Amino acid sequence: MKKYIIILITLVIITLGGIFMKEQHDKKMEAQGTQQKEELYSLAKKRMTDFIKTNYKDIERIDYTDDYEVNPMGGIEINGYLNGNKKKEVWGIYDKTNDEIGSFTVDATEKPECENKVCEY
């Protein structure tokens, strides 16, 4: 009888230890995921800024909102506005794989040389 109690207690301890280790692992992975998303967001803002300043005229400042969304394909959707005017909105999806802005809308006037094509940024 003592033998069964010792085995039962050992199994309970191993189970509780496993649950604790799994919880610690999940917290670590969540922290790494958040950090990777923040780094991707910073890169997306830089590339979007380069894109806008290369293809549009009269851009003095670009303000980005903190609401962004990472899609399952690895792209990140970013929002913002131009020159401090919240009515002049910008929106774009940065594709990390191709290192480019895929879809976008920018409420600004295009530079003449970039009207029919996207200029290299």
Side-chain angles (χ1 to χ4, degrees), residues 7-50:
I7 292 173
L8 182 63
I9 290 173
T10 304
L11 288 174
V12 168
I13 290 172
I14 291 172
T15 303
L16 291 176
I19 291 170
F20 176 76
M21 295 299 287
K22 172 74 170 126
E23 185 177 308
Q24 294 300 316
H25 176 71
D26 290 347
K27 285 180 184 178
K28 182 179 175 184
M29 294 308 288
E30 183 179 324
Q32 285 178 345
T34 301
Q35 182 181 3
Q36 288 174 344
K37 285 180 183 178
E38 291 294 326
E39 289 172 3
L40 179 61
Y41 183 57
S42 294
L43 178 60
K45 288 192 302 187
K46 181 187 178 316
R47 293 298 286 156
M48 187 72 167
T49 300
D50 294 343

Side-chain angles (χ1 to χ4, degrees), residues 101-114:
I101 303 300
S103 300
F104 58 90
T105 57
V106 179
D107 190 10
T109 306
E110 292 177 316
K111 292 181 178 177
E113 63 271 16
C114 301

Side-chain angles (χ1 to χ4, degrees), residues 48 52 59 62-65 78-82 86-92 104-108:
M48 187 72 167
I52 292 171
I59 305 298
I62 304 169
D63 297 303
Y64 295 100
T65 60
I78 56 177
N79 301 295
Y81 51 94
L82 303 171
K86 291 189 177 187
K87 292 181 181 178
K88 297 271 190 178
E89 296 179 342
V90 297
W91 170 88
F104 58 90
T105 57
V106 179
D107 190 10

